Amino acid sequence: MKRAFAWARRTVLRELDAVLASVDEALVERLAEEIHRAARVYVVGAGRSGLSVESFAMRLMHLGYQAHCADEVTAPAVDSDDLVITCSGSGGTPTVVQLTESARKAGARIVTVTSHPESEGARLADLVVPLREYSADHEEDRSAQFIGTLFEQGAYLFFDCVVLALQHTDRVDEEAMFDRHTNLE
């Protein structure tokens, strides 16, 4: 197991590095602009991709943004001043596509993070940030991990990188972020 774990660790880290290194920074800058101009930010995802984008909403709240998980019962109505960020590896997850269509009808701006920029969900978006799967050798659409795992891991780390970049560029004090952290634990 020791050798297998060491191999797995190296493989996962190299694959994640390949995924994140392939992200177009101009698209990240456009994502940041969309977040800055939005009255509220809503996130949409399902499964492990959903967990990644929900974690992003939490950190956006810590940064001082009005952020909501779109499928929560306490989420306010979305409108044309809002941004909806969807996360779906396939770009075709039915619930994600349905919520994206509803957000589009309400006039919200849509950003989609997906490994399939030609997907139905991506076609509904104003901005698409592709997170393509890459092997440790930078071979596109190849991963040693179970299908979708690399996208989900990459999405989680991608969103954390966006948070750190926003914290830096917006000059958000860590203490202010901590003050927004839940105290109902």
Side-chain angles (χ1 to χ4, degrees):
M1 183 61 160
K2 183 178 179 182
R3 287 187 191 141
F5 180 78
W7 167 83
R9 176 183 45 80
R10 285 190 307 273
T11 300
V12 168
L13 291 175
R14 285 196 326 260
E15 286 186 354
L16 284 167
D17 183 60
V19 169
L20 294 173
S22 73
V23 173
D24 183 341
E25 290 195 31
L27 295 176
V28 178
E29 288 178 24
R30 289 182 53 202
L31 170 60
E33 290 168 9
E34 291 290 348
I35 291 168
H36 284 130
R37 77 181 230 198
R40 292 174 299 229
V41 178
Y42 294 78
V43 301
V44 176
R48 287 170 43 119
S49 299
L51 295 173
S52 298
V53 77
E54 287 174 8
S55 295
F56 183 51
M58 176 192 227
R59 288 294 187 243
L60 287 175
M61 178 274 296
H62 290 149
L63 288 169
Y65 294 97
Q66 293 294 315
H68 304 278
C69 297
D71 60 352
E72 293 292 325
V73 296
T74 57
V78 67
D79 65 32
S80 60
D81 293 328
D82 298 328
L83 174 66
V84 174
I85 300 172
T86 70
C87 183
S88 170
S90 69
T93 307
T95 54
V96 174
V97 171
Q98 289 169 352
L99 289 171
T100 305
E101 289 170 339
S102 296
R104 163 80 46 229
K105 287 177 189 168
R109 303 269 305 152
I110 310 292
V111 173
T112 295
V113 177
T114 182
S115 62
H116 294 282
E118 69 289 342
S119 65
E120 184 178 2
R123 284 192 297 273
L124 293 167
D126 299 294
L127 173 64
V128 177
V129 180
L131 280 186
R132 297 295 235 175
E133 293 199 33
Y134 286 89
S135 71
D137 297 323
H138 295 259
E139 230 181 316
E140 191 170 357
D141 295 326
R142 310 271 296 179
S143 174
Q145 301 178 68
F146 183 68
I147 187 168
T149 300
L150 181 56
F151 172 80
E152 297 149 358
Q153 294 165 337
Y156 193 94
L157 292 178
F158 166 77
F159 289 128
D160 275 351
C161 291
V162 172
V163 167
L164 186 58
L166 286 169
Q167 182 183 353
H168 177 74
T169 58
D170 294 354
R171 294 187 171 99
V172 179
D173 180 64
E174 213 170 288
E175 196 166 310
M177 290 177 71
F178 187 76
D179 288 344
R180 291 184 198 100
H181 193 281
T182 186
N183 58 3
L184 297 176
E185 294 182 312

